[in-house]
Amino acid sequence: LPDVNEGFMIPAEIGFAARAAHLSQVDSVSSGALKVASQFLTFDYLWSEIRVKGGAYGTGCSTGFSGVVGLTSYRDPSPAQSLSTFLGVGDALRGLAQAGAQEITKYIISTIAGQEPVLTPRLEGSQAASLYLMGETTQRRQEKRSQMLRTTPADLEQVADALDALLAKSGVCVIGGAADDAH
């Protein structure tokens, strides 16, 4: 992805903010630990800071199959503040790493639960087709699952360092109304 910073004005009092970068810009990190980190960031740090405190309708951290890592907020009354909050994800992960194994285990379990939902036969077929078309093998999925299960505080600190480096190089996009200039 090119390092592009863009803004679009819309006739609304809410906005949307995003920072994104490709993992190829940093040293390799465990994809399993990255998924656990994404789960923690989405449902703990970003939810608390952007949704609860900032008043946005939603927020999240995504780690796509393509290697793109994105941090987003939507229906956000203060997208500029959210962009700043995104820069704190490394420190938040370091805090989780210091919290200990029991706290990390909660996020490992919820990450695996999100990756392996109970599916109807129809949805199983749809998921199998999608995975096939993406080139995602059973072996690769098992490898990621094993990495998730083995996530350690050191892995999370490595992910934190990688995210700090990525965010320093990330592209930014904001969609918002003219009133967002004051935020």
Side-chain angles (χ1 to χ4, degrees):
L1 296 173
D3 292 338
V4 175
N5 296 320
E6 296 183 305
F8 301 92
M9 190 176 296
I10 60 172
E13 292 183 21
I14 50 94
F16 306 81
R19 284 188 178 274
H22 198 277
L23 283 170
S24 63
Q25 298 178 350
V26 295
D27 293 335
S28 177
V29 295
S30 160
S31 61
L34 185 60
K35 285 288 187 192
V36 172
S38 177
Q39 185 82 359
F40 164 75
L41 292 171
T42 297
F43 294 106
D44 192 298
Y45 173 71
L46 294 173
W47 181 264
S48 174
E49 296 299 315
I50 293 176
R51 170 70 173 108
V52 175
K53 293 178 186 175
Y57 189 76
T59 185
C61 173
S62 63
T63 55
F65 181 77
S66 66
V68 174
V69 175
L71 300 164
T72 58
S73 71
Y74 57 95
R75 295 192 64 184
D76 190 345
S78 180
Q81 182 179 348
S82 294
L83 290 174
S84 296
T85 300
F86 294 153
L87 297 176
V89 297
D91 289 338
L93 277 175
R94 287 181 194 91
L96 175 61
Q98 292 172 358
Q102 187 172 1
E103 191 68 18
I104 294 169
T105 299
K106 291 188 323 189
Y107 291 101
I108 291 171
I109 292 168
S110 65
T111 303
I112 290 175
Q115 300 287 307
E116 300 175 5
V118 175
L119 301 173
T120 64
R122 179 177 175 267
L123 290 176
E124 268 187 53
S126 178
Q127 181 186 52
S130 294
L131 292 170
Y132 175 79
L133 292 171
M134 291 187 307
E136 184 76 344
T137 65
T138 301
Q139 180 181 359
R140 176 72 183 120
R141 290 178 68 216
Q142 182 58 45
E143 180 183 317
K144 265 193 247 183
R145 186 178 197 277
S146 294
Q147 289 174 354
M148 287 181 224
L149 288 169
R150 292 190 315 261
T151 298
T152 65
D155 293 330
L156 292 175
E157 289 186 17
Q158 183 183 17
V159 171
D161 293 342
L163 289 177
D164 284 344
L166 277 177
L167 292 174
K169 303 173 185 180
S170 65
V172 172
C173 182
V174 175
I175 300 170
D180 288 335
D181 293 340
H183 301 317

